[in-house]
Amino acid sequence: MDYHEASAWMARPTGGRVYALILGRHSGIYPRRFRHLKNIPLIIDDVEDVQELRPYLLRYLPEGVYYDRNVYAPLATTRTAELDYAHAWRSRFFRGQELAFDLDPENLDCPIHGDIAAKMARHQGLSFCDWEFEEIRRQAADLHDELAREWSRLRVVYSGRGFHIHVFDDAAFHLTRKRRTTIAKGFARRYAIDEWVTSGEMRLIRLPFSLHGMVSRIVIPVSRGKLESFRYDDPRAVPRL
């Protein structure tokens, strides 16, 4: 993992930030001594910088590394209060949440492989074909351009399978849950997004520059100008020994 670039990604906004590791929920591959943790997000709230995640990654060898899009009061304060991060919205320690959109190929109705129900029935729910990738890439570009009419600080990230669009405008961090839900429902009518990410129900999202262990791809930002030509086998996304 590129810790330097990941640290730069997490540098703003300032405030308490929390991370999470998924050990083996989807892949079934994990250190056997941690079998009791394989389906549970392992919350890391005692690091001040991404660099400090390294010992945890070497110990647990997770299939995925995530960060909490919520921003909290200083972590020392939240830890002392034993804050329940999953239900932090009404807490006095909550400072806001990064607005994000998660576009995944399994959300599409593919003319070749059918809808998500058909793919799950064939145990292909997390796989995707070229048509699905190209369509989700097209939607990511269109969604970015639509969002750019209202927001100015946007970043697109290749998640290893689909795309995430992050909104870093200050005003977006302070949107209410009600407003986020309205936004999510509106865009879900036209784009293959996961509503619960945009609404704020799901606060975790993959950490850029980490490895998506299920597909062996590095999670990397993609500039808008290069999005239309981006491929899932881009050399920057393929890990090297």
Side-chain angles (χ1 to χ4, degrees):
M1 189 171 91
D2 190 329
Y3 293 95
H4 176 74
E5 291 292 348
S7 293
W9 179 275
M10 296 298 299
R12 293 190 306 271
T14 58
R17 308 306 299 269
V18 174
Y19 300 88
L21 311 180
I22 303 295
L23 270 60
R25 175 187 295 173
H26 301 290
S27 65
I29 301 172
Y30 54 90
R32 293 302 165 184
R33 66 184 183 279
F34 299 127
R35 62 173 60 87
H36 60 294
L37 298 173
K38 78 180 187 72
N39 293 319
I40 304 170
L42 183 61
I43 302 300
I44 309 297
D45 66 354
D46 60 350
V47 303
E48 297 295 337
D49 186 85
V50 174
Q51 301 275 358
E52 297 173 34
L53 284 176
R54 183 179 176 86
Y56 290 99
L57 304 189
L58 293 176
R59 176 177 173 80
Y60 291 103
L61 303 177
E63 69 182 19
V65 184
Y66 299 77
Y67 71 92
D68 187 336
R69 293 182 291 125
N70 289 353
V71 179
Y72 303 100
L75 286 181
T77 305
T78 60
R79 284 197 304 270
T80 300
E82 298 183 350
L83 176 65
D84 179 359
Y85 297 109
H87 302 92
W89 276 86
R90 296 185 181 276
S91 167
R92 61 189 175 91
F93 302 107
F94 178 78
R95 297 291 183 265
Q97 186 190 84
E98 174 193 317
L99 180 65
F101 298 80
D102 183 2
L103 300 102
D104 281 322
E106 68 264 21
N107 294 336
L108 297 168
D109 290 345
C110 176
I112 303 169
H113 301 101
D115 60 13
I116 183 62
K119 286 181 273 190
M120 290 296 289
R122 296 193 302 271
H123 305 288
Q124 297 175 337
L126 295 178
S127 63
F128 58 88
C129 65
D130 282 348
W131 182 93
E132 291 168 321
F133 180 80
E134 291 169 7
E135 173 61 16
I136 209 69
R137 184 184 62 192
R138 182 194 67 78
Q139 289 195 19
D142 287 351
L143 177 55
H144 174 280
D145 294 347
E146 185 170 347
L147 291 170
R149 299 182 196 127
E150 181 175 359
W151 310 104
S152 59
R153 296 175 59 197
L154 304 176
R155 297 289 300 276
V156 180
V157 169
Y158 170 57
S159 70
R161 300 178 61 255
F163 296 90
H164 298 157
I165 301 178
H166 301 255
V167 182
F168 291 111
D169 295 58
D170 290 340
F173 274 88
H174 301 293
L175 292 171
T176 64
R177 285 291 298 272
K178 182 177 181 180
R179 178 60 181 146
R180 291 170 190 269
T181 299
T182 299
I183 291 172
K185 289 184 180 299
F187 281 107
R189 297 189 186 102
R190 292 172 290 123
Y191 298 98
I193 67 169
D194 288 331
E195 286 188 49
W196 50 89
V197 173
T198 303
S199 70
E201 179 182 349
M202 169 57 75
R203 71 192 194 282
L204 301 179
I205 200 161
R206 287 190 183 274
L207 177 64
F209 305 101
S210 67
L211 181 69
H212 188 319
M214 291 180 60
V215 291
S216 192
R217 287 293 182 269
I218 300 171
V219 181
I220 56 171
V222 181
S223 68
R224 174 62 186 87
K226 295 182 178 180
L227 185 55
E228 276 91 353
S229 61
F230 183 83
R231 292 285 298 169
Y232 49 75
D233 56 356
D234 185 288
R236 293 178 300 145
V238 178
R240 287 174 170 75
L241 297 177

